[in-house]
Amino acid sequence: MRRLIAALLCWLALGVHAQAQDPALLQHILDELGSHASVRAAFTQSRENPALTQPQVSRGQLLFVVGHGMLWQVTEPYRESLALTGVRTARIDEHGQLQTVRGSDRGVAQVSQMLQSMLSGNPEDALRQFEVEAHGTATRWTLRFTPRQERMARVLRRIELDGDRYLQGIQVELANGESTHISFADTRDAGPLSALEQRALGITP
């Protein structure tokens, strides 16, 4: 899960001067995403690989707080809770204790940084090395990212984001035929955070 999300979001984190087909629509989307300081959602992640007969599916809950990071909590088919911020990645055990994740800190930290950029509506940290196409309307839109550089295109075919008031789906297609789709449901403003959520994200009450 971490590898797939990190692959998606660290590619996007390379920055942008977006040349979208509809600049006004793109700006509206970024403004709308940036209007939510904290968001909760349920997610379903499905990974397809030509070598696998069935997709690998996981489900869980996401909490994202602008300026602090996110909690990514898998509930099926196993249980795992991760706190991802710009300075660390930590696993939350069954007792609510944080254990720093070693070895993948750099890649996983880019996950949080990318979400910070996209969900805070900051185009300067999202799209510099991609051709960007904005389609649809202000109430139902799609952003398509296609790599500009041949080196990146050898790995990544394209990424699509779709949404309305919130980001509702992410589709990642790799050049080797693998694909990952993440859909979000019951997306809403987060409301008050629990003491554990605040501690995990380094938020001072």
Side-chain angles (χ1 to χ4, degrees):
M1 179 273 293
R2 292 194 300 272
R3 183 174 67 240
L4 292 171
I5 298 295
L8 160 66
L9 298 176
C10 74
W11 281 320
L12 290 179
L14 294 173
V16 214
H17 287 291
Q19 300 297 319
Q21 289 186 348
D22 189 339
L25 176 59
L26 176 62
Q27 189 60 55
H28 172 85
I29 293 168
L30 295 173
D31 289 345
E32 187 62 54
L33 291 175
S35 68
H36 307 284
S38 59
V39 172
R40 296 183 192 272
F43 71 81
T44 299
Q45 177 176 269
S46 177
R47 176 192 177 195
E48 296 187 9
N49 186 317
L52 302 176
T53 57
Q54 297 290 333
Q56 297 176 317
V57 179
S58 59
R59 296 180 175 85
Q61 299 289 324
L62 169 73
L63 167 67
F64 178 81
V65 182
V66 171
H68 295 280
M70 72 173 182
L71 297 182
W72 182 268
Q73 299 173 294
V74 179
T75 57
E76 298 179 33
Y78 56 89
R79 301 187 70 86
E80 182 180 53
S81 296
L82 294 174
L84 303 110
T85 70
V87 296
R88 66 164 189 192
T89 298
R91 183 174 289 108
I92 306 171
D93 66 20
E94 63 272 20
H95 305 294
Q97 300 301 309
L98 275 65
Q99 303 172 346
T100 299
V101 176
R102 303 290 183 185
S104 60
D105 288 8
R106 180 180 178 185
V108 178
Q110 288 175 312
V111 175
S112 179
Q113 292 167 4
M114 175 53 213
L115 284 177
Q116 293 283 359
S117 299
M118 288 300 297
L119 298 185
S120 64
N122 180 6
E124 292 304 319
D125 291 331
L127 318 161
R128 187 175 301 139
Q129 298 193 23
F130 291 87
E131 296 287 347
V132 184
E133 299 176 25
H135 300 283
T137 67
T139 57
R140 192 63 193 175
W141 49 263
T142 299
L143 295 181
R144 178 177 295 171
F145 301 79
T146 305
R148 297 175 185 267
Q149 296 183 356
E150 182 180 351
R151 178 173 59 86
M152 186 182 297
R154 288 198 294 265
V155 177
L156 174 66
R157 182 174 297 164
R158 67 181 178 184
I159 298 170
E160 288 190 1
L161 309 182
D162 64 84
D164 40 44
R165 291 180 58 215
Y166 301 100
L167 178 63
Q168 297 292 2
I170 302 172
Q171 178 77 25
V172 185
E173 296 183 12
L174 303 184
N176 65 2
E178 290 186 31
S179 65
T180 299
H181 181 256
I182 306 170
S183 60
F184 302 101
D186 191 26
T187 307
R188 61 206 184 275
D189 288 328
L193 274 59
S194 70
L196 174 58
E197 291 170 338
Q198 293 181 55
R199 182 162 57 86
L201 294 177
I203 300 173
T204 303

